[in-house]
Amino acid sequence: MGDKPIWEQIGSSFIQHYYQLFDNDRIQLGTIYIDASCLTWEGQQFQGKAAIVEKLSSLPFQKIQHSITVQDHQPSPDSCIISMVVGQLKVDEDPIMGFHQMLLLHQ
């Protein structure tokens, strides 16, 4: 991992942490969002830590498991990292389905 650019190292570590929290205890995702954070979920927009955590914790499933297929991380001019994630997820007993997510990481 040391030979990768720093933005790839940070992005990869963040994605691993994010989906571990999402799969095991969604309420803990509140530790990574701030009041300026935004989330769009199936066309609905949520802004702020409280609104995002409320949405994620109210999702109507008991178990979820993400499997990351591809992740791509790029630096942005304002010292942020843009991360694109593609993979599969399994919710409760439903069939496996694909997903993609884009995140903007800001320090």
Side-chain angles (χ1 to χ4, degrees), residues 60-100:
F61 50 80
Q62 300 300 311
K63 297 183 309 185
I64 186 167
Q65 183 177 5
H66 290 86
S67 176
I68 307 303
T69 306
V70 176
Q71 52 182 302
D72 185 30
H73 312 282
Q74 299 295 325
S76 71
D78 55 352
S79 299
C80 294
I81 299 170
I82 301 168
S83 295
M84 174 62 88
V85 180
V86 177
Q88 296 181 321
L89 60 84
K90 175 121 175 78
V91 174
D92 293 330
E93 301 306 318
D94 292 348
I96 294 173
M97 63 182 96
F99 82 95
H100 71 274

